[in-house]
Amino acid sequence: MVKIETSPQQVTSRKLTVSKAMVEGIAQEMERDPSVIVLGEDVGAYGGIFSSTTGLLERFGPGRILDTPISETAFIGLGTGAAVEGMRPIVELMFVDFFGVAMDQIYNHMAKIHYESGGNVLVPMVLMTAVGGGYSDGAQHSQCLWGTFAHLPGMKVVVPSSPADAKGLMISAIRDENPVVYMFHKGVMGLPWMTKSTHALGDVPEESYTVPIGKAAITRSGTDVTVVTLSLSVHHSLDVADELAKEGIECEVVDLRSLVPLDRATVLESVAKTGRLVVVDEDYQSFGLSGEIAAIIAEEDPRLLRCPMKRVCVPDTPIPYARSLEQATLPTPTRIAAAIRDVMA
Amino acid sequence: MTQTTTPQLVETDVRLRLFERMVILRRFEKRVYDLFLQGFVKGTSHLSIGQEAIAAGFGEAMRSDDWTFATYRGHAHTLSRGVDMAPVMAELMGRAGGLMAGKGGSMHLTSVEHGMMGSYAIVGAHLPIAVGAAFSAKYRKSGQVAVCFFGDGTTNIGAFHEALNFAAVYRLPVVFVCENNLYMEYTAIHDVTAVEHPAADRAAAYGLERIIVDGNDVSEMYRIAQARLTRARDGYGPSLIEALTYRHNGHSRADPGKYRPDAEVAAWMERDPIPAYRERLEREGVTTQALDAIEERVSIAVDRATESAKASPPPPAEAAYRDVWSDGGWQWRS
């Protein structure tokens, strides 16, 4: 189902970071479609505080790359209104943690007006936002919160982990006729000032292409245990899988890539194959994605599991500041490895 | 003469059209009130009875491709853009033949083809959205203007201030119209606002003119609407208009409005915009028969819209599962 729009022979790729791949996806869509604009705090000259818009102002000018006041209600609402009237705005919410000051615009308006208008209006906009912790930014700048957005009807929720997906999913999000929340983890962007992840750099085709929203990726095949995960936790899970392979444990790593729509089929097929499940989710544990994955198995066929599943999530506490405390709450490679060993025991 | 083939507004003289618009809004909403008491209209309903001159003046002055953004008190603004009464009535009754097939109800009336871009039930939320539509108009150089109506209570919520600043910074073609009916829900606006004029006294903070008009004078509303729409179309940015008015009914449902002093209510009832305008037209030489004919025609149309809405069945349960997504579906699990 992956649609690469040029024929494979013509595809040339080079290694890019997630942030450069995202920007390339945005820029190619802006070249193709004059209705695409970008707005948010510090997205212009500064290029986005997590480099999600680097260089766009120079290429497309202030008429299409708009630095906004600190006024999320105004500019997210503006995005919705512009989308309803024929534009395809990409609105950056600097940190997802800030959604509280503008959540009304997001879940009551952006997400609902298509439905409540009886399908009369369309809202083809992208709300992109930085998520995740691991760098001591404290309880109000480190959350993922994707489960909150996924819980509320009317928004697609996209969470890329690799450079190629970051670009292809961005292009799909821009072209989608629905509001799409595009959540990029600061730790996957490949930023020099963040903790390094080797998976943040990868092959990205130069041409424009889409990655379908709602299709998970098997990022590593394995027979012993299914690790269902997303975003930065994919990087950690792949590293852990490499280590455990040395002990003879073969992990299958499923990168969900989107929460809404959620690819149930891929999860069920993988669990049917391995019979063991670990969910790794950097969001709060209770009432969220990890419980939803468990419900999918329970509703479909609990006998798929040979042993109880494990969840590696942020416990139901705010994310603490001190490095040692933060690492104790996040789904670190150590916690992921322990959970996999547990289900294998 | 049927609802679908006869336009709701038939007069050609602007003065008569203004009158006709107000009569449509008044008679339609009087019927809505009756139907609410009879249990045909459920949930809630917020009437604009007494405030019709604002919607009528703007409805007449707006270009057909301009946009209206309204609040949950949006029946009048919807009808004044030329939307048929029958589907609006059916929507209020929650019928399959409703304007949004029963999905939205009284507080979310929307008709894109008429430029009625939605009624919003969260105070202040639609101001930023109207700013976005205006941004689109400016960006595409389409010459369209967004008109955003709201009540006095909206002026104390953050979205009002954020939207005004944004619209002023980008000089966007948007006209903000505060319908100051003196009460935010059940509380006098004066008791909870730091300034006398909740909208106009804030205009200077965003570099805008202080504009206060008589919201019960339909010709004044028509004139200010024309002037401010033209100004927005010509690239001079947003306007903020405070129109003084009064609702004859309570805030919503069957609220009798007992929190308002009797003398105040009586004084404003004397200033009912429809009889006042009728008297003026008669003084200007319009015949009683011509005005009576309008009243009668509208009255028949309201009866027909009511019958048509009552005849429409309730929407089937499966309709609840349509239109969450642009492909018409609802499932979020692929």
Side-chain angles (χ1 to χ4, degrees):
Chain A
M1 252 190 89
V2 176
K3 283 179 277 183
I4 306 276
E5 288 184 340
T6 48
S7 65
Q9 299 92 299
Q10 290 174 314
V11 172
T12 49
S13 63
R14 69 262 103 104
K15 290 201 184 299
L16 289 183
T17 59
V18 165
S19 86
K20 290 200 165 76
M22 267 177 71
V23 173
E24 186 169 278
I26 295 170
Q28 287 178 350
E29 283 302 284
M30 291 187 74
E31 293 282 1
R32 194 183 67 83
D33 181 351
S35 70
V36 179
I37 56 168
V38 178
L39 59 157
E41 291 153 5
D42 300 319
V43 299
Y46 197 80
I49 66 161
F50 298 110
S51 304
S52 54
T53 57
T54 306
L56 292 176
L57 178 68
E58 290 77 3
R59 275 182 76 180
F60 298 102
R64 296 182 72 188
I65 308 294
L66 283 80
D67 275 324
T68 63
I70 298 173
S71 199
E72 284 83 0
T73 291
F75 67 75
I76 293 173
L78 185 152
T80 300
V84 165
E85 297 304 344
M87 301 194 64
R88 292 187 178 270
I90 302 168
V91 180
E92 178 165 287
L93 175 65
M94 185 183 274
F95 287 78
V96 73
D97 312 69
F98 302 167
F99 83 94
V101 302
M103 195 55 177
D104 178 57
Q105 285 297 334
I106 298 168
Y107 91 109
N108 260 335
H109 307 289
M110 182 187 85
K112 281 183 192 164
I113 61 177
H114 175 69
Y115 183 84
E116 72 186 20
S117 71
N120 251 286
V121 300
L122 285 174
V123 188
M125 73 181 267
V126 179
L127 180 65
M128 69 174 179
T129 186
V131 304
Y135 62 106
S136 292
D137 214 1
Q140 294 173 353
H141 291 74
S142 301
Q143 301 165 96
C144 286
L145 298 177
W146 41 58
T148 303
F149 290 80
H151 179 67
L152 299 162
M155 299 170 263
K156 293 188 178 180
V157 180
V158 170
V159 186
S161 70
S162 74
D165 283 351
K167 178 176 169 182
L169 286 168
M170 176 57 80
I171 293 174
S172 292
I174 295 168
R175 295 183 189 176
D176 204 290
E177 297 295 346
N178 299 287
V180 178
V181 182
Y182 182 106
M183 310 180 92
F184 56 91
H185 197 297
K186 301 150 213 165
V188 308
M189 296 291 271
L191 305 174
W193 53 280
M194 277 278 162
T195 315
K196 294 283 180 300
S197 166
T198 52
H199 305 283
L201 191 68
D203 286 331
V204 178
E206 283 180 12
E207 292 76 10
S208 177
Y209 60 93
T210 58
V211 170
I213 298 174
K215 186 79 190 109
I218 310 278
T219 49
R220 180 192 175 103
S221 273
T223 50
D224 295 327
V225 54
T226 297
V227 180
V228 173
T229 185
L230 71 173
S231 194
L232 180 65
S233 297
V234 174
H235 298 194
H236 294 333
S237 298
L238 289 170
D239 292 340
V240 168
D242 283 345
E243 285 302 309
L244 294 180
K246 295 173 191 162
E247 301 172 18
I249 298 173
E250 290 299 330
C251 299
E252 177 146 302
V253 179
V254 177
D255 177 358
L256 290 172
R257 301 199 286 193
S258 68
L259 282 82
V260 181
L262 184 61
D263 186 354
R264 305 170 80 231
T266 298
V267 171
L268 286 164
E269 278 163 31
S270 179
V271 174
K273 181 170 82 173
T274 63
R276 297 185 184 89
L277 173 63
V278 173
V279 181
V280 184
D281 176 15
E282 200 187 310
D283 202 350
Y284 300 116
Q285 175 160 314
S286 298
F287 311 104
L289 174 68
S290 60
E292 189 62 34
I293 300 292
I296 286 169
I297 310 291
E299 286 173 346
E300 183 71 21
D301 186 358
R303 293 164 301 181
L304 292 178
L305 288 175
R306 298 190 225 173
C307 61
M309 66 172 286
K310 285 275 175 194
R311 298 196 263 176
V312 184
C313 306
V314 174
D316 301 320
T317 65
I319 297 175
Y321 165 74
R323 187 58 56 97
S324 60
L325 296 176
E326 187 183 26
Q327 291 299 308
T329 62
L330 294 176
T332 51
T334 308
R335 288 180 63 206
I336 298 167
I340 294 171
R341 287 202 181 92
D342 263 8
V343 297
M344 291 302 297
Chain B
M1 183 165 136
T2 69
Q3 284 299 321
T4 48
T5 54
T6 308
Q8 207 153 269
L9 282 158
V10 301
E11 298 296 339
T12 49
D13 179 325
V14 167
R15 295 174 308 161
L16 293 186
R17 285 172 66 83
L18 289 169
F19 181 72
E20 186 178 23
R21 280 177 197 272
M22 289 198 292
V23 172
I24 288 171
L25 310 186
R26 173 69 55 94
R27 293 201 174 240
F28 179 90
E29 288 208 308
K30 288 246 180 217
R31 178 62 53 84
V32 171
Y33 186 74
D34 293 344
L35 292 169
F36 185 84
L37 295 181
Q38 292 162 23
F40 283 100
V41 173
K42 298 189 194 306
T44 191
S45 144
H46 303 78
L47 305 177
S48 300
I49 293 175
Q51 307 185 182
E52 294 93 340
I54 299 166
F58 267 90
E60 187 60 34
M62 288 169 75
R63 217 165 77 177
S64 63
D65 62 345
D66 287 338
W67 300 302
T68 297
F69 291 83
T71 68
Y72 48 83
R73 198 179 304 284
H75 307 160
H77 294 295
T78 304
L79 294 172
S80 201
R81 293 307 305 276
V83 180
D84 267 355
M85 284 187 258
V88 177
M89 193 68 93
E91 186 68 30
L92 267 49
M93 289 193 208
R95 303 302 172 101
L99 190 60
M100 297 93 75
K103 299 285 276 295
S106 165
M107 297 199 290
H108 298 301
L109 295 173
T110 307
S111 180
V112 172
E113 62 178 304
H114 295 93
M116 178 61 204
M117 297 314 300
S119 315
Y120 290 78
I122 304 293
V123 169
H126 61 312
L127 277 77
I129 296 172
V131 168
F135 182 87
S136 170
K138 182 173 181 181
Y139 184 84
R140 294 182 294 112
K141 301 182 171 62
S142 70
Q144 291 162 286
V145 179
V147 181
C148 185
F149 300 94
F150 50 90
D152 41 275
T154 297
T155 64
N156 289 326
I157 202 164
F160 168 82
H161 298 274
E162 295 193 28
L164 282 174
N165 181 59
F166 218 108
V169 168
Y170 287 94
R171 291 171 76 87
L172 298 178
V174 54
V175 179
F176 297 103
V177 185
C178 175
E179 301 179 80
N180 181 3
N181 62 23
L182 313 187
Y183 289 83
M184 49 146 289
E185 303 197 3
Y186 313 101
T187 299
I189 191 68
H190 184 259
D191 292 346
V192 293
T193 306
V195 291
E196 184 189 356
H197 285 283
D201 287 346
R202 266 81 173 253
Y206 306 102
L208 302 176
E209 287 172 59
R210 185 176 191 274
I211 302 172
I212 299 169
V213 295
D214 180 355
N216 279 18
D217 181 339
V218 73
S219 53
E220 183 170 351
M221 286 313 305
Y222 177 58
R223 274 199 303 274
I224 190 77
Q226 279 188 312
R228 291 288 142 173
L229 287 163
T230 302
R231 191 177 179 279
R233 241 185 277 291
D234 290 346
Y236 294 101
S239 297
L240 173 61
I241 298 167
E242 180 170 328
L244 297 174
T245 188
Y246 204 73
R247 50 173 155 77
H248 290 185
N249 294 59
H251 167 65
S252 67
R253 298 169 59 95
D255 165 31
K258 289 295 181 202
Y259 41 87
R260 306 186 299 186
D262 291 344
E264 178 188 283
V265 175
W268 278 94
M269 294 304 269
E270 285 294 308
R271 302 195 50 235
D272 187 332
I274 297 178
Y277 194 58
R278 190 183 161 111
E279 279 167 32
R280 177 171 156 178
L281 291 179
E282 287 177 352
R283 279 201 308 277
E284 290 176 5
V286 178
T287 64
T288 304
Q289 293 91 317
L291 296 169
D292 286 347
I294 291 173
E295 299 255 15
E296 189 163 337
R297 189 173 63 238
V298 171
S299 180
I300 292 167
V302 170
D303 285 344
R304 290 202 174 140
T306 307
E307 287 158 24
S308 148
K310 283 182 176 171
S312 178
E318 58 265 29
Y321 299 96
R322 283 204 290 271
D323 293 327
V324 175
W325 305 113
S326 64
D327 65 4
W330 71 282
Q331 298 224 7
W332 56 269
R333 295 161 171 175
S334 61

Coordinates of all heavy atoms in Angstrom, one line a residue, chain A residues 45-81:
Chain A
A45 N 11.8 33.0 10.9 CA 13.2 33.2 10.9 C 14.0 32.1 11.8 O 15.0 31.7 11.5 CB 13.6 34.6 11.4
Y46 N 13.4 31.7 12.9 CA 14.0 30.8 13.8 C 13.9 29.4 13.2 O 14.8 28.5 13.6 CB 13.3 30.9 15.2 CG 14.2 30.2 16.3 CD1 15.3 30.9 16.8 CD2 13.9 28.9 16.7 CE1 16.1 30.3 17.8 CE2 14.7 28.3 17.7 CZ 15.8 29.0 18.2 OH 16.5 28.4 19.2
G47 N 13.0 29.1 12.4 CA 12.9 27.8 11.8 C 12.2 26.7 12.7 O 12.4 25.5 12.4
G48 N 11.5 27.1 13.7 CA 10.9 26.1 14.6 C 11.9 25.7 15.7 O 13.0 25.4 15.4
I49 N 11.4 25.7 16.9 CA 12.4 25.4 18.0 C 13.0 24.0 17.9 O 14.0 23.8 18.5 CB 11.9 25.8 19.4 CG1 10.7 24.9 19.8 CG2 11.5 27.2 19.5 CD1 10.5 24.9 21.3
F50 N 12.3 23.1 17.2 CA 12.8 21.8 17.0 C 13.1 21.5 15.6 O 13.1 20.4 15.1 CB 11.9 20.7 17.6 CG 11.7 20.9 19.1 CD1 10.5 21.3 19.6 CD2 12.8 20.6 20.0 CE1 10.4 21.5 21.0 CE2 12.6 20.8 21.3 CZ 11.4 21.2 21.9
S51 N 13.4 22.6 14.8 CA 13.9 22.5 13.4 C 12.8 21.8 12.5 O 13.2 21.1 11.6 CB 15.2 21.8 13.3 OG 16.2 22.5 14.2
S52 N 11.6 22.1 12.8 CA 10.6 21.5 11.9 C 10.2 22.4 10.7 O 9.5 21.9 9.8 CB 9.3 21.3 12.8 OG 8.9 22.5 13.4
T53 N 10.7 23.6 10.7 CA 10.4 24.5 9.6 C 11.7 25.2 9.0 O 11.6 26.2 8.4 CB 9.4 25.6 10.0 OG1 9.9 26.3 11.1 CG2 8.1 24.9 10.4
T54 N 12.8 24.6 9.3 CA 14.1 25.3 9.0 C 14.2 25.6 7.5 O 14.0 24.7 6.6 CB 15.3 24.4 9.3 OG1 15.2 24.0 10.7 CG2 16.6 25.1 9.1
G55 N 14.4 26.9 7.1 CA 14.7 27.3 5.8 C 13.4 27.6 5.0 O 13.5 28.0 3.8
L56 N 12.2 27.3 5.6 CA 11.0 27.5 4.8 C 10.7 29.0 4.5 O 10.3 29.4 3.5 CB 9.8 26.9 5.5 CG 9.8 25.3 5.5 CD1 8.6 24.8 6.3 CD2 9.8 24.7 4.1
L57 N 11.0 29.9 5.5 CA 10.8 31.3 5.4 C 11.6 31.8 4.2 O 11.1 32.6 3.3 CB 11.2 32.1 6.6 CG 11.0 33.6 6.5 CD1 9.5 34.0 6.4 CD2 11.6 34.3 7.8
E58 N 12.9 31.4 4.1 CA 13.7 31.9 3.0 C 13.2 31.5 1.6 O 13.2 32.2 0.7 CB 15.2 31.4 3.2 CG 15.9 31.9 4.3 CD 15.5 31.4 5.7 OE1 14.7 30.5 5.7 OE2 16.0 31.9 6.7
R59 N 12.6 30.3 1.6 CA 12.1 29.8 0.3 C 10.7 30.3 -0.1 O 10.5 30.5 -1.2 CB 12.0 28.2 0.3 CG 13.3 27.6 0.0 CD 13.2 26.1 0.0 NE 12.5 25.5 -1.2 CZ 12.3 24.2 -1.4 NH1 12.7 23.4 -0.4 NH2 11.7 23.8 -2.4
F60 N 9.9 30.5 0.9 CA 8.5 30.8 0.6 C 8.0 32.1 1.1 O 6.9 32.5 0.7 CB 7.6 29.7 1.1 CG 7.9 28.3 0.5 CD1 8.6 27.4 1.2 CD2 7.5 28.0 -0.7 CE1 8.9 26.1 0.7 CE2 7.7 26.8 -1.3 CZ 8.5 25.8 -0.6
G61 N 8.8 32.8 1.9 CA 8.5 34.2 2.3 C 7.5 34.3 3.4 O 6.8 33.3 3.7
P62 N 7.4 35.5 3.9 CA 6.5 35.7 5.1 C 5.0 35.6 4.8 O 4.2 35.5 5.7 CB 6.8 37.1 5.6 CG 7.4 37.8 4.4 CD 8.1 36.7 3.6
G63 N 4.6 35.6 3.5 CA 3.2 35.5 3.1 C 2.7 34.1 3.4 O 1.5 33.8 3.5
R64 N 3.6 33.1 3.4 CA 3.2 31.7 3.5 C 3.8 31.0 4.8 O 3.4 30.0 5.1 CB 3.6 30.9 2.3 CG 2.9 31.4 1.0 CD 3.3 30.5 -0.2 NE 2.7 29.2 -0.1 CZ 3.0 28.2 -1.0 NH1 3.9 28.4 -1.9 NH2 2.4 27.1 -0.9
I65 N 4.8 31.7 5.4 CA 5.4 31.1 6.6 C 5.2 32.2 7.7 O 5.9 33.3 7.6 CB 6.9 30.8 6.4 CG1 7.1 29.9 5.2 CG2 7.4 30.2 7.7 CD1 6.5 28.5 5.3
L66 N 4.2 32.0 8.5 CA 3.8 33.1 9.4 C 4.2 32.9 10.9 O 3.9 31.9 11.5 CB 2.3 33.2 9.4 CG 1.6 33.9 8.2 CD1 1.6 32.9 7.0 CD2 0.3 34.4 8.5
D67 N 5.0 33.9 11.4 CA 5.3 33.9 12.8 C 4.1 34.5 13.5 O 3.6 35.6 13.2 CB 6.5 34.7 13.1 CG 7.8 34.0 12.9 OD1 7.8 32.8 13.3 OD2 8.8 34.5 12.5
T68 N 3.5 33.7 14.5 CA 2.3 34.2 15.2 C 2.7 34.7 16.5 O 3.7 34.4 17.1 CB 1.4 33.0 15.4 OG1 2.0 32.1 16.2 CG2 1.0 32.3 14.1
P69 N 1.8 35.5 17.1 CA 1.9 35.9 18.5 C 1.7 34.6 19.4 O 1.3 33.6 18.9 CB 0.8 36.9 18.8 CG -0.1 36.7 17.7 CD 0.6 36.2 16.5
I70 N 2.1 34.7 20.7 CA 1.8 33.6 21.6 C 0.3 33.6 21.8 O -0.2 34.3 22.8 CB 2.6 33.7 22.9 CG1 4.1 33.7 22.6 CG2 2.2 32.6 23.9 CD1 5.0 34.0 23.7
S71 N -0.5 32.9 21.0 CA -1.9 33.1 20.9 C -2.5 31.9 20.3 O -3.1 32.0 19.2 CB -2.1 34.4 20.0 OG -3.3 35.0 20.2
E72 N -2.3 30.8 20.9 CA -2.7 29.5 20.3 C -4.2 29.4 19.9 O -4.5 28.8 18.9 CB -2.4 28.3 21.3 CG -0.9 27.9 21.3 CD -0.1 28.8 22.3 OE1 -0.7 29.7 22.9 OE2 1.1 28.6 22.4
T73 N -5.0 29.9 20.8 CA -6.5 29.9 20.4 C -6.7 30.6 19.1 O -7.4 30.1 18.2 CB -7.3 30.6 21.6 OG1 -7.2 29.7 22.7 CG2 -8.7 30.8 21.2
A74 N -6.0 31.8 18.9 CA -6.2 32.5 17.7 C -5.7 31.8 16.5 O -6.3 31.7 15.5 CB -5.6 33.9 17.8
F75 N -4.4 31.3 16.6 CA -3.9 30.8 15.4 C -4.3 29.3 15.1 O -4.3 28.9 13.9 CB -2.4 31.0 15.3 CG -1.5 30.3 16.2 CD1 -1.2 28.9 16.1 CD2 -0.8 30.9 17.3 CE1 -0.3 28.3 16.9 CE2 0.0 30.3 18.1 CZ 0.3 28.9 18.0
I76 N -4.7 28.6 16.0 CA -5.3 27.2 15.7 C -6.7 27.4 15.1 O -7.1 26.8 14.2 CB -5.3 26.3 16.9 CG1 -3.8 26.0 17.3 CG2 -6.0 25.0 16.6 CD1 -3.6 25.2 18.6
G77 N -7.4 28.4 15.7 CA -8.7 28.7 15.1 C -8.6 29.3 13.7 O -9.3 28.9 12.8
L78 N -7.6 30.1 13.5 CA -7.3 30.7 12.2 C -7.1 29.5 11.2 O -7.6 29.5 10.1 CB -6.1 31.6 12.2 CG -5.8 32.4 10.9 CD1 -5.1 33.7 11.3 CD2 -4.9 31.5 10.0
G79 N -6.3 28.5 11.7 CA -6.0 27.4 10.8 C -7.3 26.7 10.4 O -7.5 26.4 9.2
T80 N -8.2 26.5 11.3 CA -9.5 25.8 11.1 C -10.3 26.6 10.1 O -10.8 26.1 9.1 CB -10.3 25.6 12.3 OG1 -9.5 24.8 13.2 CG2 -11.6 24.9 12.1
G81 N -10.4 27.9 10.3 CA -11.1 28.8 9.4 C -10.5 28.8 8.0 O -11.3 28.8 7.0

